[in-house]
Amino acid sequence: MQRPEPENEIVIVGGGICGLATALALHRKGIKSLVLERSEILRATGAAIGVLDNGWRALEQLGVADRLRQTALPIHGVRDIWLDKKAKETSQGWTGENRCLRRSDLVKTLADALPPDAIRFGCQVVSVELHPSTCYPILHLQDGNTIVAKVVIGCDGARSAVSNFLKLKPTGVFGLSAMRGLTYYPNGHSFSYELVQTYKIMLCPEYVKQLTLQSINNFPEEIIQMVECSDLKSLSVARLRYRAPWELLMGNFRKGTVTVAGDAMHVMSPFLGQGGSASLEDAIILARCLSQKLSSIDPIRDENGKVMHNIEEAIDQNLKERKMRIVKLSMQAFLVGLLWQSSSIVVKFVIVILMVVLFNDPVNHSKYDWQAVMYEKLRCCFE
């Protein structure tokens, strides 16, 4: 194999929330990166996304929080409605800054804050390999072209080509599906500013293949009307995927200078509303770790081996900081998913006990402050 030279220092695979946020976090640190997006245009479609308190702290760091607040709506709490057998409803208040916004607003805002040449569209990565002598990652694209980089960050979702290179196990699938969409009320509405999740246990495994309205014929009238009036272009139905917490605990998320972040690393069910916020955290911390190590490198005097070694150390430091945070988030989301999926009273009882023992404050996950954690570690180092 001919000895290649890297065309880019850092290549980010995937132009979704995590990929764009990572590129922007690096840009704020003065580090150039290239985002490879498989679609021909920015994927700004989809419905709404909840960003919790920890996610807004990340958006503040990225410098886009104030712009996004202009169109975001506050969420004061969450209300769960069960419609199987006996109707049951539970509610819980939230503290801190929790808002809901259009996914398209978030994606476009992140992309607009990047340099004009930061995203390359129509580039679908199908496989990754390391050059045997330089250890540079080589990305193979669907069109037959290759791209050589010094660092590859896979932010390409649950079906990630980069995670396949790292030999991560395939993501698991819950026996649950989620329907998402947007409904417009030109004359306003009377709904409270809260996250309302409505559940119905579906015995038919072909639920996802049936029309949504046929599946919710016994839902409250306002929910049926919401679906009837929804924007068809925003509707989607998807099986809920997850990466098991024990796989996150034991998995190896780096090979050479290749790593993953966001859903490619820790796709989780939406029951905590943390998928997007956790990905924003990933972006901030990974960019900080890379910046600290790259700033100590002399690009003229230092040999390639030292450069690559420093990059590997930066990725390892990022994984060390993120692992337990992600494991805890994924464990809580996984248990909630099992609770809603299972029909066994015994299983539900065991899960409730585990939830009480492990997560006695069910919304504590949104209070996580990585800056306070970092300052505490620095303080301990100097004492």
Side-chain angles (χ1 to χ4, degrees), residues 159-216:
R159 298 180 178 89
S160 165
V162 182
S163 66
N164 290 339
F165 165 74
L166 296 175
K167 300 189 183 304
L168 301 181
K169 292 183 178 180
T171 56
V173 181
F174 277 110
L176 301 168
S177 298
M179 192 279 283
R180 299 178 174 93
L182 293 172
T183 301
Y184 299 95
Y185 294 89
N187 300 320
H189 59 76
S190 59
F191 295 108
S192 302
Y193 287 123
E194 60 184 352
L195 173 64
V196 180
Q197 304 180 115
T198 307
Y199 309 102
K200 180 177 180 181
I201 297 176
M202 306 302 295
L203 301 179
C204 176
E206 297 297 320
Y207 160 62
V208 294
K209 298 181 180 179
Q210 299 182 19
L211 295 175
T212 302
L213 287 173
Q214 292 177 345
S215 301
I216 61 170

Side-chain angles (χ1 to χ4, degrees), residues 6-40:
E7 305 162 44
N8 302 92
E9 291 284 322
I10 300 176
V11 171
I12 299 168
V13 182
I17 292 172
C18 185
L20 296 175
T22 302
L24 182 54
L26 290 168
H27 176 63
R28 299 296 189 210
K29 299 286 186 181
I31 301 174
K32 185 178 180 181
S33 64
L34 175 67
V35 178
L36 301 181
E37 168 54 38
R38 69 173 183 266
S39 64
E40 296 296 333

Side-chain angles (χ1 to χ4, degrees), residues 222-291:
E222 61 267 24
I223 301 297
I224 296 175
Q225 185 180 11
M226 183 183 294
V227 176
E228 288 178 341
C229 299
S230 61
D231 180 2
L232 293 179
K233 294 180 180 179
S234 73
L235 291 179
S236 64
V237 179
R239 296 296 295 270
L240 301 183
R241 293 183 172 273
Y242 65 92
R243 192 174 299 284
W246 50 90
E247 293 174 6
L248 289 169
L249 186 63
M250 305 301 293
N252 182 13
F253 297 94
R254 178 185 70 80
K255 185 174 182 180
T257 57
V258 179
T259 190
V260 285
D263 282 354
M265 178 184 182
H266 52 70
V267 61
M268 64 184 76
S269 57
F271 306 121
L272 301 185
Q274 276 288 2
S277 297
S279 295
L280 294 170
E281 286 182 7
D282 288 349
I284 296 292
I285 296 175
L286 179 54
R288 170 168 54 80
C289 292
L290 284 170
S291 175

Side-chain angles (χ1 to χ4, degrees), residues 90-159:
T90 62
S91 60
Q92 188 171 49
W94 278 351
T95 60
E97 183 176 9
N98 306 286
R99 297 174 183 266
C100 179
L101 66 159
R102 292 184 183 89
R103 182 177 290 270
S104 60
D105 288 349
L106 177 55
V107 171
K108 288 178 180 178
T109 299
L110 292 171
D112 289 346
L114 290 170
D117 58 346
I119 308 173
R120 188 179 299 176
F121 295 102
C123 295
Q124 182 168 353
V125 176
V126 294
S127 65
V128 185
E129 65 173 325
L130 297 181
H131 190 274
S133 60
T134 65
C135 292
Y136 289 145
I138 303 174
L139 299 167
H140 295 270
L141 307 183
Q142 191 175 46
D143 61 9
N145 291 321
T146 60
I147 295 177
V148 182
K150 285 188 177 179
V151 184
V152 169
I153 304 171
C155 302
D156 46 342
R159 298 180 178 89

